[in-house]
Amino acid sequence: MSGREAVTVATLPWSLECSSCGKTRAAGGLAGVCECGQPYLVRYAAAPPPDARSLLATRGWTMWRYREWLPLADGEQPVTLGEGGTPLLSTPRLAAKHGFSQFWVKDESTNPTGSFKARGLAAAITRAVRAGAKSFVVPTAGNAGVALAAYAARAGVPGRVYAPAGTPATILSQITVDVSTLREPYRIEGKKTLGLELAEQLRWTLPDAIVYPTGGGTGLIGMWKAFGELARAGWFTRTPPRMYSVQAAGCAPVVRAFEAGADACVEWPDPSTIAAGLRVPRPLGGRLILRALRESGGAAVAVTDAQLAGAARELQSEGIDACPEGGAALAGALELKARGLIQGGERVVVFNTGAGWLYRA
Amino acid sequence: MSGREAVTVATLPWSLECSSCGKTRAAGGLAGVCECGQPYLVRYAAAPPPDARSLLATRGWTMWRYREWLPLADGEQPVTLGEGGTPLLSTPRLAAKHGFSQFWVKDESTNPTGSFKARGLAAAITRAVRAGAKSFVVPTAGNAGVALAAYAARAGVPGRVYAPAGTPATILSQITVDVSTLREPYRIEGKKTLGLELAEQLRWTLPDAIVYPTGGGTGLIGMWKAFGELARAGWFTRTPPRMYSVQAAGCAPVVRAFEAGADACVEWPDPSTIAAGLRVPRPLGGRLILRALRESGGAAVAVTDAQLAGAARELQSEGIDACPEGGAALAGALELKARGLIQGGERVVVFNTGAGWLYRA
């Protein structure tokens, strides 16, 4: 393999397409956002080869088992700490209590650094290091900074994290190294593996509804992209899941835009919630989130801090170390069922995006 | 499958054999230690069937993928939070720095509840609940309590944890429920999956040396049992790895007994180390640990708190959230190499048994 390591920019088998104006550029080099200010999406030159599925039986249990779906050229090795391969937990007691017939929690707390952020950062840092990045910076509500510090360290490159005042002390204590705003397209590719992995764990079916706590929304956008790519590759032919965003009542720009029928988010003034990961007043991917919610037949719903904290405790009492955002997902699912948007007989997956321990002082 | 759920005690396809006096008893019921005071080992009536290996391709990425090797009867479902499937990380920079050609860290920090304890408790609680246990108690240096609380909650059974003064506050804050001393044989079976998983991740080969931080030593005993069972099943024919125990200089009963040529440990007076998991003055499995070290051609070595803390920081600077015990494993490997007991050209695996975050205040 080592003879194939010398990949040049010109051979990368994907390009970058602006999610808003549609302008494309070659991949390679350090990728930012489009000149129109909106995020790029990675577009692959070819669908994964027919044997990509049988190859899975030979692969390890990390997100890189889906390497044919990811921005890796032949022979490239990722910067990895073993991210992905997280449990999909069936929760029969919760299901019975709340009147669901099939209810799962996708538990992202067992990723390296304790959250789903590991997936995006692993992909982004893998590409950035290949493009020659010598240091990294990331602004973060917390967990992305922990992940960035760890992946920069794993790559042997210095990173720098900017966190707002009010970030939980336990999260800050995890950050031991010093990475430029990763307003770049590869974190979405990493998060795409949430959808690929969910499909594989459900034996190449998908649930009826996915309930996702939405701050920046990269995971939701990534999963929606994954489901489209899986359908185009013919791996999956049924209706894709309805995607639901859950936000905190004190910072709900996606809910407001969704309910107003708008195609972009307006900045939320004075954002406030204990769920630090949901404190994103104007998500850069707002248009993409709203598109995924509408195209999938989903919706957006807000829950109070009391609701999300109570639901996090409920998950914890089932042995799942839920973070406040994971609590928001469960609370949102209950709210959606109460409104009749999700039916009790449907197959529902909620996401616990990180570990509760990151929030304990 | 549900028609096969009504497993009776009489049908359990394994028995319990005392590791010291050799006395056997039927499995089923609540299992303790032998009347001679020494631990039981699980002995299976039959080796895993020939198709157990091909079945792995159809299984999820938890330790229960090895269910044919584990104490589960046909049709039984485990109490699980998705434990196992942890990364085996190649660390080329560390290898180069310390003169090893192949050096891996098995990173158990990504288990549910942040440590390797999840494996043992998942197996123990699975069997205890089947046997009718209505509550649990465990004495713990910390991480076992976190795991017990989570698995008892997952099983829907109350648990009680006794922790010594001086247990890190972050660990205590994880324990939200109330479990009897699990001086029982199934934790070893759960820990056995460390060895099975390592073998699969190395494509059914094994390293030359395994360096394991040893408190109670269940993981080391479990791996040694796994290697024996793999050999008897014909999955593995080469020489098994040499097993090395690393202990803290302030609590090193296994090192003292090993060096004295004794076959049992004497209680260590006044145990003291920052590595809470190594603060086990008289491991119940001492005879089994010493047997595994000698039969494998390994040894035992002590490192100071300064050595283990420095080595934990070194792992952290590679992006691996090592706990003090994980640091002890790296420090021990370096000490063993310095003494000429491990050669630079050998394939070495050290274990990071849990997450560093559990130790941060």
Side-chain angles (χ1 to χ4, degrees):
Chain A
M1 278 244 194
S2 63
R4 301 161 74 190
E5 281 281 1
V7 175
T8 61
V9 165
T11 67
L12 291 176
W14 63 85
S15 59
L16 304 180
E17 179 187 285
C18 176
S19 60
S20 178
C21 74
K23 195 167 169 177
T24 64
R25 57 160 279 195
L30 288 165
V33 294
C34 179
E35 60 192 21
C36 79
Q38 289 295 303
Y40 282 118
L41 294 174
V42 173
R43 298 298 183 198
Y44 295 89
D51 67 348
R53 193 145 151 187
S54 58
L55 283 171
L56 290 174
T58 68
R59 300 270 172 83
W61 315 308
T62 77
M63 71 178 219
W64 300 99
R65 66 192 273 100
Y66 308 109
R67 64 173 291 150
E68 289 80 5
W69 303 83
L70 292 172
L72 276 186
D74 267 6
E76 288 183 350
Q77 294 306 316
V79 175
T80 180
L81 289 165
E83 52 288 342
T86 61
L88 179 67
L89 301 172
S90 177
T91 54
R93 273 190 308 268
L94 279 181
K97 178 176 170 190
H98 296 297
F100 289 102
S101 57
Q102 289 182 284
F103 196 84
W104 291 273
V105 177
K106 178 69 171 163
D107 186 11
E108 287 286 293
S109 72
T110 61
N111 276 301
T113 73
S115 88
F116 72 140
K117 297 286 184 185
R119 299 180 190 256
L121 271 303
I125 287 190
T126 291
R127 292 288 7 130
V129 166
R130 285 264 158 191
K134 297 289 181 244
S135 70
F136 296 96
V137 182
V138 71
T140 177
N143 287 337
V146 179
L148 183 130
Y151 285 90
R154 179 70 166 155
V157 169
R160 179 173 293 122
V161 178
Y162 295 102
T167 301
T170 307
I171 291 183
L172 292 176
S173 76
Q174 306 300 312
I175 302 170
T176 54
V177 273
D178 243 340
V179 183
S180 180
T181 53
L182 286 166
R183 288 161 59 105
E184 57 73 78
Y186 297 112
R187 278 173 78 169
I188 290 178
E189 294 304 293
K191 293 282 185 72
K192 216 173 67 176
T193 62
L194 287 169
L196 298 170
E197 198 169 294
L198 185 60
E200 186 179 5
Q201 288 177 312
L202 293 174
R203 298 180 183 269
W204 308 108
T205 68
L206 286 168
D208 298 303
I210 287 176
V211 184
Y212 190 82
T214 306
T218 318
L220 185 130
I221 298 166
M223 278 193 277
W224 188 239
K225 186 167 187 285
F227 299 150
E229 292 177 6
L230 282 169
R232 279 193 293 282
W235 287 32
F236 181 75
T237 51
R238 289 177 41 199
T239 312
R242 304 193 307 279
M243 311 288 287
Y244 294 97
S245 276
V246 184
Q247 298 201 295
C251 184
V254 171
V255 177
R256 185 169 287 176
F258 183 84
E259 291 179 346
D263 66 357
C265 295
V266 174
E267 180 154 346
W268 189 273
D270 196 19
S272 168
T273 169
I274 57 170
L278 301 183
R279 216 179 291 141
V280 182
R282 192 181 181 192
L284 178 65
R287 290 173 183 271
L288 290 168
I289 296 169
L290 290 161
R291 205 194 293 169
L293 298 181
R294 293 189 176 115
E295 288 183 3
S296 73
V301 63
V303 296
T304 65
D305 275 10
Q307 282 178 295
L308 68 87
R313 281 194 300 273
E314 193 172 347
L315 288 168
Q316 288 161 8
S317 75
E318 294 293 318
I320 300 169
D321 188 23
C323 61
E325 297 80 2
L330 173 57
L334 302 184
E335 181 70 25
L336 290 161
K337 182 161 178 289
R339 294 189 194 177
L341 292 172
I342 295 181
Q343 307 298 319
E346 294 191 303
R347 303 166 82 216
V348 179
V349 174
V350 301
F351 276 78
N352 176 41
T353 48
W357 62 261
L358 283 160
Y359 295 80
R360 292 182 197 116
Chain B
M1 278 242 193
S2 63
R4 301 160 75 190
E5 282 279 2
V7 175
T8 62
V9 165
T11 67
L12 291 177
W14 64 85
S15 59
L16 305 181
E17 179 187 288
C18 176
S19 61
S20 180
C21 74
K23 194 166 171 179
T24 62
R25 58 160 280 193
L30 289 166
V33 294
C34 179
E35 60 191 22
C36 81
Q38 288 296 303
Y40 282 118
L41 293 174
V42 174
R43 297 298 181 199
Y44 296 89
D51 66 347
R53 192 143 151 189
S54 59
L55 283 171
L56 290 174
T58 68
R59 299 269 171 83
W61 314 308
T62 78
M63 75 177 214
W64 300 100
R65 67 192 272 102
Y66 308 109
R67 64 172 291 151
E68 289 80 6
W69 304 82
L70 292 172
L72 275 186
D74 266 8
E76 287 184 349
Q77 294 305 316
V79 175
T80 179
L81 289 165
E83 51 290 341
T86 62
L88 181 66
L89 301 173
S90 177
T91 54
R93 272 191 308 269
L94 281 181
K97 179 177 170 190
H98 296 297
F100 289 102
S101 57
Q102 289 183 286
F103 197 85
W104 291 273
V105 178
K106 177 72 172 162
D107 186 11
E108 286 287 295
S109 72
T110 62
N111 275 302
T113 72
S115 90
F116 73 138
K117 298 285 185 185
R119 298 180 191 256
L121 271 301
I125 288 192
T126 291
R127 291 280 21 119
V129 166
R130 286 263 158 193
K134 297 286 181 249
S135 70
F136 297 96
V137 181
V138 73
T140 176
N143 287 337
V146 179
L148 184 131
Y151 285 90
R154 179 69 166 156
V157 170
R160 178 173 294 122
V161 177
Y162 296 100
T167 301
T170 307
I171 291 182
L172 290 176
S173 76
Q174 307 299 313
I175 301 171
T176 54
V177 271
D178 251 335
V179 182
S180 179
T181 54
L182 285 165
R183 289 161 60 106
E184 57 73 82
Y186 296 113
R187 279 172 77 169
I188 290 178
E189 294 302 294
K191 292 283 184 67
K192 214 174 68 177
T193 62
L194 287 168
L196 299 170
E197 197 169 294
L198 183 61
E200 185 179 4
Q201 288 177 312
L202 292 174
R203 298 180 184 271
W204 307 107
T205 67
L206 286 169
D208 298 304
I210 288 177
V211 184
Y212 190 83
T214 305
T218 319
L220 185 130
I221 298 166
M223 278 192 277
W224 188 239
K225 186 168 188 283
F227 299 152
E229 292 178 3
L230 282 168
R232 279 194 291 282
W235 287 33
F236 180 74
T237 51
R238 290 176 41 200
T239 311
R242 304 195 307 280
M243 311 288 288
Y244 294 97
S245 276
V246 184
Q247 299 201 294
C251 184
V254 172
V255 177
R256 185 168 288 176
F258 183 85
E259 291 179 348
D263 64 356
C265 295
V266 173
E267 180 153 348
W268 189 273
D270 196 19
S272 167
T273 169
I274 57 170
L278 301 183
R279 218 179 290 141
V280 182
R282 193 180 180 192
L284 178 65
R287 290 173 182 271
L288 290 167
I289 296 168
L290 289 161
R291 203 192 297 169
L293 298 180
R294 293 192 176 112
E295 287 182 4
S296 72
V301 64
V303 297
T304 65
D305 276 10
Q307 281 178 296
L308 69 86
R313 280 193 301 274
E314 193 173 348
L315 287 168
Q316 288 161 7
S317 75
E318 295 292 319
I320 299 169
D321 187 22
C323 59
E325 296 81 2
L330 173 58
L334 302 184
E335 181 69 25
L336 289 161
K337 182 162 178 289
R339 295 191 193 176
L341 292 171
I342 295 181
Q343 307 299 319
E346 295 191 302
R347 304 163 83 218
V348 179
V349 173
V350 300
F351 276 79
N352 176 42
T353 47
W357 62 260
L358 282 160
Y359 295 79
R360 292 183 197 112

